[in-house]
Amino acid sequence: MNIKMQCCGLVILFVIGCFFQQQKRVRIYTERIFVWTYRMVAVCVSLDILSLVAIDSMDRLPLMLVDVACKLYNTSLVLVVMLGLLYAAVDAYPDEIYVKFLRGSIAAAAAEAVCIFLLPIEYVTDGAGKFLYTFGPSIYATYISGLIFMVATVVVLVRRREYINSRRFEAVSLWLVCWLGSSLIQLCIKELLLVGFGATMGVLVLYVKLENPETYIDRQTGMFNSNALTYFLRERHEKGQHFPILVLVLEDYSNIGLDKEEVEAIRLEVEDCLQRTGAWLFRKSEDEMVMLFAEGTPADAAKDMLVRRFSETWGRSRVVLHPGWISLSDAQLLADSDELGRALRHVRQDVRQVLGRYDVEITGEVLEQMRKEKRVERLLLDGIENDRIEVYYQPIYNTKEQRFTCAEALVRIYDGENHLIRPSVFIEVAEKNGMILKLGRIVFEKVCRLMKEEHPEQYGLRYIEVNLSTVQCADKDLADDYISILKKYDLPPERINLEITESASLLAKETLQRNMERMMDYGIRFSLDDFGTGQSNLNYIMDMPVDIVKFDREMSQAFFENDKAHFVMNAAISMVHGMEMKTVSEGIETEEQLRKMEDMGISYIQGYYFSKPLPQDAFLSFLKEKNGADEVAV
Ligand code: C2E
Ligand code: MG
Ligand code: MG
């Protein structure tokens, strides 16, 4: 009787079981399926041995008993393959579909077991009566059943690839290889009874790749890690459990330079405070510890206790920590288990900029804001990737010459459904995530292309104003980039006027100055945009080497509505003109407003009265119609 392989299998299973039992476990659903798979493989290998013993004693035992032992073994084999399928599908489908999947698989396995039991089994012996292998309809039914589950597993792996955790994908693929390998070998060399051992190797692969509890443990502290947190959150979330989350942030973690013992001391302090609350503690990243409290447990009490502990020196540490706190009163606010990570990044980025220290609550509004930003980011990315960035042009009226001698380029994005999205939706987000650098360059390039290819100067257009974001002004490569684009299109610099705002010099004054000097040396001129908003400073105009000052719509409106604003506007205009700069009034919508502005002696008028921003072709037609293709006034 050859049961060496099966005995090896049992020893391997025993060792895995010992390791698994000893380690701290996160007790999530996948772990439970693994435990079931482990048990079933143990049963399967044991039944393998039992059936071989029964066959060996065939002359002494009733044939039916031998048949039952063999068929039980075959059924257990099919169940093991079915568990492999359930294990692969656990991430792949949402909860309610998974439950249907589970029921369907169990029903299929039950039907297959009935077939295996009803169909006859035959035994092949050598000339001397020594048993070689089993065959016959029951065995074929076993192979076909196993194959059906394997094919289903492959289908799940391939079709739902993007939803399956990559480690699970690899582990289940390897497990399939073990099964297929051992089944094929057994099919070719029938005397080599390898399938049961193949199942054991499959479990070993799952353990090493995924279910080794160390996968969920932070090596430095022994706490549960972010992997464990993701699975844990997902399960609670899918069950619809409401529970508070508290995050302890060790700001400046890398600079403080905590050693291993100090981190360990923090862990002990935190665990000590959490003892009475029964909360789960995770180390999400080096400087973030996440606490998940049981439903209804007041996280505030634990936080108060922790705050008291950390307000003085703790453990054997030489450092006084000033931990920050981010709390979420109900985890059900999160759309999915990964959203906690995104929300933490979002909050930390914002808070660091504004407060410098943390004690914030992630509320529904914060999450909504974050999701909105995410959607806008997608819109920007899609827009850039699929060339859906559009530049609109708003003609600007020259009051002295009574024609349109310049225009402002204003960016728009078409979303996937062909809706035109205005900059108020995306500029702020693009500035925050840095995409404005790319977006700005695209707009600039499109403007240069229009100038080069359509020659709008033939209709009297001298230059186009292009907005520069404060973030672009702080980019040290800006001047080189823009000059090289002008050179690429062989465009004279007088065709471009760049609009900057006062806030640009607050962010990075020196870089802005260097950029401006480089570009002015090349011949590009500048305007000061949005004058009259926020805390505009008259002194600022004196410092800034600009040619044009643009009065914001807000300022123009105030002028029409308020008598005193009249004096302010008057003073501002004479001051700007006195410094030999031109003025533009934005947001002029009626003829009356136009007349008043002309009376004030403003140099240019921009507003809906003349035209809204227009797409390129409509803009060129507008110029042709209003200015005519007359003398080239350059
Ligand atoms: P801005 O540079 O002050 O541009 C003027 C804004 O006022 C434009 O809004 C324009 O459509 C609007 N406007 C002009 N005349 C009237 C009027 O008579 N009535 C009203 N109600 N509005 C008028 P838009 O196109 O939505 O742009 C808003 C802001 O987005 C711009 O303000 C600018 O700060 C920014 N922006 C637009 N394009 C770009 C760009 O390519 N790069 C950067 N960095 N910012 C841009
Ligand atoms: Mg502007
Ligand atoms: Mg403006």
Side-chain angles (χ1 to χ4, degrees):
M1 183 174 51
N2 183 5
I3 53 168
K4 282 191 205 111
M5 289 306 236
Q6 288 74 358
C7 291
C8 282
L10 278 183
V11 172
I12 293 172
L13 284 171
F14 178 73
V15 174
I16 296 175
C18 289
F19 274 118
F20 191 72
Q21 209 54 44
Q22 272 170 14
Q23 277 162 319
K24 183 166 154 178
R25 275 150 50 191
V26 71
R27 296 183 199 288
I28 48 183
Y29 186 70
T30 55
E31 193 187 277
R32 261 174 273 151
I33 303 193
F34 172 74
V35 171
W36 272 104
T37 314
Y38 173 87
R39 286 179 187 154
M40 192 43 81
V41 170
V43 169
C44 177
V45 178
S46 309
L47 284 172
D48 195 4
I49 295 174
L50 187 79
S51 62
L52 289 172
V53 171
I55 291 168
D56 203 46
S57 330
M58 210 182 298
D59 44 354
R60 276 164 281 145
L61 288 174
L63 186 63
M64 201 184 79
L65 218 64
V66 183
D67 272 8
V68 168
C70 291
K71 287 175 178 179
L72 274 175
Y73 163 61
N74 287 345
T75 310
S76 69
L77 271 179
V78 174
L79 289 176
V80 174
V81 193
M82 178 199 78
L83 283 163
L85 168 66
L86 293 179
Y87 193 78
V90 73
D91 303 324
Y93 298 99
D95 233 15
E96 61 284 3
I97 300 184
Y98 186 74
V99 170
K100 285 187 195 151
F101 199 88
L102 185 89
R103 289 196 189 131
S105 303
I106 292 174
E112 286 159 2
V114 171
C115 288
I116 291 171
F117 267 87
L118 290 183
L119 293 169
I121 195 166
E122 287 161 40
Y123 304 90
V124 173
T125 47
D126 63 6
K130 185 171 169 273
F131 168 74
L132 290 178
Y133 55 86
T134 48
F135 81 109
S138 176
I139 301 296
Y140 301 140
T142 309
Y143 269 110
I144 293 170
S145 308
L147 205 66
I148 291 173
F149 280 124
M150 278 193 213
V151 170
T153 311
V154 173
V155 171
V156 169
L157 287 181
V158 173
R159 291 193 52 183
R160 309 289 292 179
R161 171 80 181 92
E162 60 198 291
Y163 302 98
I164 301 175
N165 166 314
S166 56
R167 290 173 74 96
R168 183 177 315 285
F169 184 87
E170 282 169 28
V172 178
S173 306
L174 263 172
W175 138 291
L176 276 179
V177 170
C178 287
W179 268 111
L180 276 175
S182 55
S183 310
L184 282 178
I185 295 174
Q186 183 157 341
L187 209 64
C188 300
I189 315 172
K190 296 206 169 55
E191 299 81 4
L192 210 58
L193 305 175
L194 254 188
V195 174
F197 184 71
T200 312
M201 293 318 284
V203 168
L204 184 65
V205 167
L206 292 192
Y207 177 78
V208 172
K209 277 246 157 231
L210 262 176
E211 294 303 334
N212 174 359
E214 280 212 2
T215 317
Y216 300 111
I217 303 284
D218 173 61
R219 281 182 192 278
Q220 195 185 11
T221 58
M223 290 155 84
F224 289 125
N225 62 13
S226 60
N227 256 344
L229 177 65
T230 306
Y231 277 106
F232 202 86
L233 262 179
R234 180 183 302 171
E235 245 183 77
R236 308 279 138 138
H237 204 260
E238 281 175 355
K239 285 190 186 135
Q241 291 180 352
H242 299 258
F243 55 92
I245 299 176
L246 184 64
V247 184
L248 182 154
V249 181
L250 295 172
E251 183 62 354
D252 243 8
Y253 175 84
S254 43
N255 291 338
I256 300 173
L258 296 173
D259 58 30
K260 206 172 162 212
E261 276 95 46
E262 284 162 336
V263 176
E264 176 63 7
I266 299 178
R267 178 181 75 84
L268 288 175
E269 295 288 333
V270 176
E271 278 186 350
D272 197 32
C273 288
L274 292 182
Q275 235 174 30
R276 270 138 286 187
T277 64
W280 289 79
L281 179 63
F282 299 82
R283 191 177 196 204
K284 187 173 180 313
S285 58
E286 276 202 326
D287 60 349
E288 278 172 346
M289 288 188 193
V290 176
M291 295 156 232
L292 303 188
F293 293 84
E295 206 161 352
T297 313
D300 292 349
K303 182 179 154 189
D304 288 346
M305 200 189 291
L306 282 161
V307 169
R308 254 178 277 127
R309 283 278 174 103
F310 283 111
S311 60
E312 34 198 84
T313 44
W314 42 272
R316 286 162 292 140
S317 179
R318 58 193 156 76
V319 257
V320 179
L321 280 176
H322 297 288
W325 305 95
I326 300 175
S327 48
L328 175 68
S329 50
D330 182 6
Q332 280 303 309
L333 290 173
L334 299 171
D336 55 51
S337 53
D338 299 327
E339 200 168 63
L340 179 68
R342 291 199 291 274
L344 289 179
R345 272 196 301 279
H346 176 85
V347 168
R348 289 190 63 166
Q349 202 177 29
D350 273 9
V351 172
R352 189 179 300 132
Q353 276 162 13
V354 182
L355 297 174
R357 291 249 312 115
Y358 303 103
D359 199 348
V360 268
E361 162 95 31
I362 302 178
T363 57
E365 286 106 84
V366 171
L367 290 171
E368 206 24 69
Q369 170 67 20
M370 180 190 91
R371 288 173 199 145
K372 203 172 129 200
E373 272 183 28
K374 241 339 337 107
R375 284 196 293 273
V376 173
E377 248 177 61
R378 243 316 7 116
L379 169 84
L380 276 160
L381 265 176
D382 281 355
I384 291 173
E385 269 172 21
N386 302 315
D387 194 19
R388 289 205 292 257
I389 309 292
E390 286 292 322
V391 180
Y392 274 45
Y393 298 88
Q394 188 174 30
I396 300 179
Y397 183 73
N398 182 326
T399 53
K400 201 160 153 210
E401 297 181 27
Q402 301 194 347
R403 63 213 305 268
F404 298 89
T405 55
C406 50
E408 176 169 4
L410 295 157
V411 66
R412 305 283 184 264
I413 300 183
Y414 276 105
D415 69 5
E417 279 139 33
N418 231 15
H419 299 128
L420 196 63
I421 314 293
R422 292 188 55 150
S424 52
V425 177
F426 57 81
I427 291 285
E428 209 183 312
V429 176
E431 286 181 332
K432 202 165 156 187
N433 65 19
M435 273 192 226
I436 191 74
L437 297 178
K438 198 155 191 181
L439 188 69
R441 224 170 288 145
I442 293 175
V443 171
F444 190 66
E445 188 140 4
K446 285 192 186 256
V447 172
C448 292
R449 194 175 306 142
L450 164 82
M451 289 291 220
K452 185 71 194 164
E453 291 172 0
E454 304 294 339
H455 298 285
E457 67 274 13
Q458 62 185 309
Y459 312 122
L461 191 91
R462 293 186 190 138
Y463 59 88
I464 292 183
E465 294 173 1
V466 184
N467 289 284
L468 273 187
S469 143
T470 49
V471 177
Q472 289 177 281
C473 296
D475 171 25
K476 58 180 178 21
D477 298 327
L478 175 79
D480 288 340
D481 273 2
Y482 274 38
I483 291 172
S484 70
I485 295 175
L486 279 177
K487 284 183 180 158
K488 177 173 152 193
Y489 286 92
D490 191 22
L491 203 67
E494 312 83 69
R495 294 266 175 272
I496 296 295
N497 182 298
L498 294 178
E499 293 188 1
I500 54 164
T501 57
E502 196 174 334
S503 48
S505 72
L506 300 178
L507 187 71
K509 192 166 185 172
E510 279 171 24
T511 318
L512 169 70
Q513 276 171 349
R514 237 174 293 131
N515 275 327
M516 284 182 80
E517 276 163 22
R518 275 270 291 127
M519 290 198 264
M520 283 188 323
D521 284 348
Y522 189 74
I524 300 174
R525 286 160 308 147
F526 286 85
S527 303
L528 181 66
D529 199 4
D530 296 346
F531 187 77
T533 54
Q535 319 128 353
S536 301
N537 187 344
L538 287 178
N539 291 335
Y540 186 80
I541 301 183
M542 291 193 286
D543 286 346
M544 272 296 144
V546 291
D547 285 352
I548 300 171
V549 176
K550 298 188 75 169
F551 295 133
D552 189 73
R553 179 162 175 264
E554 236 177 73
M555 190 166 173
S556 310
Q557 294 298 324
F559 165 73
F560 302 124
E561 285 159 14
N562 179 330
D563 286 346
K564 283 187 193 155
H566 190 276
F567 295 105
V568 177
M569 189 83 170
N570 209 352
I573 292 173
S574 25
M575 189 189 75
V576 173
H577 287 174
M579 288 188 278
E580 303 200 328
M581 295 184 244
K582 303 269 197 250
T583 46
V584 180
S585 177
E586 288 186 317
I588 301 303
E589 294 182 349
T590 64
E591 186 165 359
E592 190 196 347
Q593 292 174 350
L594 168 70
R595 297 288 159 248
K596 282 191 179 167
M597 280 297 165
E598 277 183 326
D599 290 347
M600 296 288 289
I602 215 108
S603 332
Y604 298 95
I605 305 279
Q606 177 177 355
Y608 290 177
Y609 174 71
F610 289 115
S611 169
K612 286 194 169 179
L614 300 168
Q616 178 171 316
D617 290 345
F619 168 64
L620 291 170
S621 308
F622 178 95
L623 285 182
K624 211 185 291 183
E625 186 196 324
K626 302 286 177 186
N627 285 358
D630 54 11
E631 77 286 8
V632 180
V634 202

PDB file of all heavy atoms in Angstrom, residues 10 90 95 130 155 294 306 325 385 442-443 499 511 543 554 574:
ATOM      1  N   LEU A  10      -0.269  14.918   5.348  1.00  0.00           N
ATOM      2  CA  LEU A  10      -0.806  15.140   6.700  1.00  0.00           C
ATOM      3  C   LEU A  10       0.190  15.895   7.577  1.00  0.00           C
ATOM      4  O   LEU A  10      -0.181  16.772   8.363  1.00  0.00           O
ATOM      5  CB  LEU A  10      -1.157  13.797   7.343  1.00  0.00           C
ATOM      6  CG  LEU A  10      -2.518  13.202   6.938  1.00  0.00           C
ATOM      7  CD1 LEU A  10      -2.784  11.913   7.698  1.00  0.00           C
ATOM      8  CD2 LEU A  10      -3.663  14.190   7.194  1.00  0.00           C
ATOM      9  N   VAL A  90     -14.236  35.549  -3.429  1.00  0.00           N
ATOM     10  CA  VAL A  90     -14.654  36.323  -2.255  1.00  0.00           C
ATOM     11  C   VAL A  90     -14.525  37.843  -2.449  1.00  0.00           C
ATOM     12  O   VAL A  90     -15.359  38.610  -1.997  1.00  0.00           O
ATOM     13  CB  VAL A  90     -13.932  35.798  -0.987  1.00  0.00           C
ATOM     14  CG1 VAL A  90     -12.484  36.194  -0.967  1.00  0.00           C
ATOM     15  CG2 VAL A  90     -14.643  36.256   0.253  1.00  0.00           C
ATOM     16  N   ASP A  95     -21.483  41.504  -1.841  1.00  0.00           N
ATOM     17  CA  ASP A  95     -22.012  40.555  -0.871  1.00  0.00           C
ATOM     18  C   ASP A  95     -23.210  39.747  -1.362  1.00  0.00           C
ATOM     19  O   ASP A  95     -23.214  38.518  -1.291  1.00  0.00           O
ATOM     20  CB  ASP A  95     -22.425  41.342   0.377  1.00  0.00           C
ATOM     21  CG  ASP A  95     -21.787  40.741   1.601  1.00  0.00           C
ATOM     22  OD1 ASP A  95     -20.848  39.952   1.420  1.00  0.00           O
ATOM     23  OD2 ASP A  95     -22.238  41.055   2.705  1.00  0.00           O
ATOM     24  N   LYS A 130      -2.522  -7.224  -6.746  1.00  0.00           N
ATOM     25  CA  LYS A 130      -2.181  -5.985  -6.032  1.00  0.00           C
ATOM     26  C   LYS A 130      -2.962  -4.817  -6.652  1.00  0.00           C
ATOM     27  O   LYS A 130      -2.999  -4.676  -7.874  1.00  0.00           O
ATOM     28  CB  LYS A 130      -0.677  -5.747  -6.166  1.00  0.00           C
ATOM     29  CG  LYS A 130      -0.174  -4.579  -5.377  1.00  0.00           C
ATOM     30  CD  LYS A 130       1.361  -4.563  -5.402  1.00  0.00           C
ATOM     31  CE  LYS A 130       1.901  -3.269  -4.853  1.00  0.00           C
ATOM     32  NZ  LYS A 130       2.005  -2.233  -5.835  1.00  0.00           N
ATOM     33  N   VAL A 155     -12.701  31.257 -14.869  1.00  0.00           N
ATOM     34  CA  VAL A 155     -13.585  32.303 -15.408  1.00  0.00           C
ATOM     35  C   VAL A 155     -13.667  33.479 -14.426  1.00  0.00           C
ATOM     36  O   VAL A 155     -13.537  34.648 -14.813  1.00  0.00           O
ATOM     37  CB  VAL A 155     -14.999  31.723 -15.706  1.00  0.00           C
ATOM     38  CG1 VAL A 155     -15.974  32.834 -16.041  1.00  0.00           C
ATOM     39  CG2 VAL A 155     -14.922  30.730 -16.851  1.00  0.00           C
ATOM     40  N   ALA A 294     -16.198  49.148  18.876  1.00  0.00           N
ATOM     41  CA  ALA A 294     -17.396  48.332  18.676  1.00  0.00           C
ATOM     42  C   ALA A 294     -18.591  49.259  18.544  1.00  0.00           C
ATOM     43  O   ALA A 294     -18.547  50.411  18.996  1.00  0.00           O
ATOM     44  CB  ALA A 294     -17.577  47.413  19.864  1.00  0.00           C
ATOM     45  N   LEU A 306      -6.403  58.817  26.061  1.00  0.00           N
ATOM     46  CA  LEU A 306      -5.152  58.839  25.285  1.00  0.00           C
ATOM     47  C   LEU A 306      -4.523  60.224  25.303  1.00  0.00           C
ATOM     48  O   LEU A 306      -3.309  60.365  25.425  1.00  0.00           O
ATOM     49  CB  LEU A 306      -5.430  58.419  23.844  1.00  0.00           C
ATOM     50  CG  LEU A 306      -5.596  56.921  23.640  1.00  0.00           C
ATOM     51  CD1 LEU A 306      -6.309  56.626  22.339  1.00  0.00           C
ATOM     52  CD2 LEU A 306      -4.243  56.239  23.654  1.00  0.00           C
ATOM     53  N   TRP A 325      -5.495  64.018  16.077  1.00  0.00           N
ATOM     54  CA  TRP A 325      -6.614  63.075  16.043  1.00  0.00           C
ATOM     55  C   TRP A 325      -7.505  63.354  14.857  1.00  0.00           C
ATOM     56  O   TRP A 325      -7.842  64.500  14.581  1.00  0.00           O
ATOM     57  CB  TRP A 325      -7.458  63.208  17.310  1.00  0.00           C
ATOM     58  CG  TRP A 325      -6.618  63.054  18.527  1.00  0.00           C
ATOM     59  CD1 TRP A 325      -6.055  64.055  19.267  1.00  0.00           C
ATOM     60  CD2 TRP A 325      -6.182  61.841  19.112  1.00  0.00           C
ATOM     61  NE1 TRP A 325      -5.304  63.530  20.286  1.00  0.00           N
ATOM     62  CE2 TRP A 325      -5.362  62.164  20.213  1.00  0.00           C
ATOM     63  CE3 TRP A 325      -6.404  60.498  18.809  1.00  0.00           C
ATOM     64  CZ2 TRP A 325      -4.772  61.202  20.997  1.00  0.00           C
ATOM     65  CZ3 TRP A 325      -5.814  59.540  19.609  1.00  0.00           C
ATOM     66  CH2 TRP A 325      -5.003  59.891  20.687  1.00  0.00           C
ATOM     67  N   GLU A 385      -6.197  63.456 -21.320  1.00  0.00           N
ATOM     68  CA  GLU A 385      -5.843  62.258 -22.087  1.00  0.00           C
ATOM     69  C   GLU A 385      -6.581  62.185 -23.427  1.00  0.00           C
ATOM     70  O   GLU A 385      -6.028  61.741 -24.421  1.00  0.00           O
ATOM     71  CB  GLU A 385      -6.186  61.001 -21.280  1.00  0.00           C
ATOM     72  CG  GLU A 385      -5.033  60.542 -20.424  1.00  0.00           C
ATOM     73  CD  GLU A 385      -5.443  59.430 -19.490  1.00  0.00           C
ATOM     74  OE1 GLU A 385      -6.436  58.750 -19.745  1.00  0.00           O
ATOM     75  OE2 GLU A 385      -4.736  59.274 -18.466  1.00  0.00           O
ATOM     76  N   ILE A 442      -1.227  73.304 -22.066  1.00  0.00           N
ATOM     77  CA  ILE A 442      -2.100  72.924 -23.190  1.00  0.00           C
ATOM     78  C   ILE A 442      -2.822  74.164 -23.719  1.00  0.00           C
ATOM     79  O   ILE A 442      -2.884  74.400 -24.931  1.00  0.00           O
ATOM     80  CB  ILE A 442      -3.127  71.855 -22.735  1.00  0.00           C
ATOM     81  CG1 ILE A 442      -2.403  70.560 -22.411  1.00  0.00           C
ATOM     82  CG2 ILE A 442      -4.201  71.632 -23.802  1.00  0.00           C
ATOM     83  CD1 ILE A 442      -3.282  69.463 -21.839  1.00  0.00           C
ATOM     84  N   VAL A 443      -3.352  74.987 -22.796  1.00  0.00           N
ATOM     85  CA  VAL A 443      -4.079  76.192 -23.206  1.00  0.00           C
ATOM     86  C   VAL A 443      -3.137  77.115 -23.984  1.00  0.00           C
ATOM     87  O   VAL A 443      -3.469  77.603 -25.072  1.00  0.00           O
ATOM     88  CB  VAL A 443      -4.648  76.931 -21.965  1.00  0.00           C
ATOM     89  CG1 VAL A 443      -5.200  78.293 -22.353  1.00  0.00           C
ATOM     90  CG2 VAL A 443      -5.721  76.090 -21.295  1.00  0.00           C
ATOM     91  N   GLU A 499      -1.716  86.959 -18.010  1.00  0.00           N
ATOM     92  CA  GLU A 499      -2.427  87.557 -16.871  1.00  0.00           C
ATOM     93  C   GLU A 499      -1.978  86.897 -15.576  1.00  0.00           C
ATOM     94  O   GLU A 499      -2.082  85.682 -15.433  1.00  0.00           O
ATOM     95  CB  GLU A 499      -3.937  87.355 -17.034  1.00  0.00           C
ATOM     96  CG  GLU A 499      -4.532  88.116 -18.193  1.00  0.00           C
ATOM     97  CD  GLU A 499      -6.060  88.034 -18.189  1.00  0.00           C
ATOM     98  OE1 GLU A 499      -6.642  87.404 -17.284  1.00  0.00           O
ATOM     99  OE2 GLU A 499      -6.670  88.606 -19.107  1.00  0.00           O
ATOM    100  N   THR A 511      10.426  83.414  -7.353  1.00  0.00           N
ATOM    101  CA  THR A 511      10.301  82.612  -8.585  1.00  0.00           C
ATOM    102  C   THR A 511       9.475  83.382  -9.603  1.00  0.00           C
ATOM    103  O   THR A 511       9.803  83.420 -10.794  1.00  0.00           O
ATOM    104  CB  THR A 511       9.626  81.256  -8.286  1.00  0.00           C
ATOM    105  OG1 THR A 511      10.152  80.745  -7.098  1.00  0.00           O
ATOM    106  CG2 THR A 511       9.801  80.288  -9.414  1.00  0.00           C
ATOM    107  N   ASP A 543       4.790  97.892  -7.824  1.00  0.00           N
ATOM    108  CA  ASP A 543       5.880  96.910  -7.807  1.00  0.00           C
ATOM    109  C   ASP A 543       5.892  96.016  -9.035  1.00  0.00           C
ATOM    110  O   ASP A 543       6.914  95.462  -9.396  1.00  0.00           O
ATOM    111  CB  ASP A 543       5.722  95.977  -6.596  1.00  0.00           C
ATOM    112  CG  ASP A 543       6.099  96.699  -5.318  1.00  0.00           C
ATOM    113  OD1 ASP A 543       6.714  97.770  -5.450  1.00  0.00           O
ATOM    114  OD2 ASP A 543       5.768  96.203  -4.227  1.00  0.00           O
ATOM    115  N   GLU A 554     -16.412  92.384 -10.075  1.00  0.00           N
ATOM    116  CA  GLU A 554     -16.879  92.839  -8.753  1.00  0.00           C
ATOM    117  C   GLU A 554     -16.692  94.345  -8.605  1.00  0.00           C
ATOM    118  O   GLU A 554     -17.574  95.058  -8.150  1.00  0.00           O
ATOM    119  CB  GLU A 554     -15.994  92.175  -7.692  1.00  0.00           C
ATOM    120  CG  GLU A 554     -16.725  91.380  -6.647  1.00  0.00           C
ATOM    121  CD  GLU A 554     -15.716  90.726  -5.710  1.00  0.00           C
ATOM    122  OE1 GLU A 554     -15.107  91.447  -4.890  1.00  0.00           O
ATOM    123  OE2 GLU A 554     -15.524  89.503  -5.823  1.00  0.00           O
ATOM    124  N   SER A 574      -7.030 106.852 -12.834  1.00  0.00           N
ATOM    125  CA  SER A 574      -6.022 107.875 -13.130  1.00  0.00           C
ATOM    126  C   SER A 574      -4.642 107.449 -12.662  1.00  0.00           C
ATOM    127  O   SER A 574      -3.634 107.741 -13.312  1.00  0.00           O
ATOM    128  CB  SER A 574      -6.385 109.258 -12.576  1.00  0.00           C
ATOM    129  OG  SER A 574      -7.222 109.157 -11.519  1.00  0.00           O
TER     130      SER A 574
END
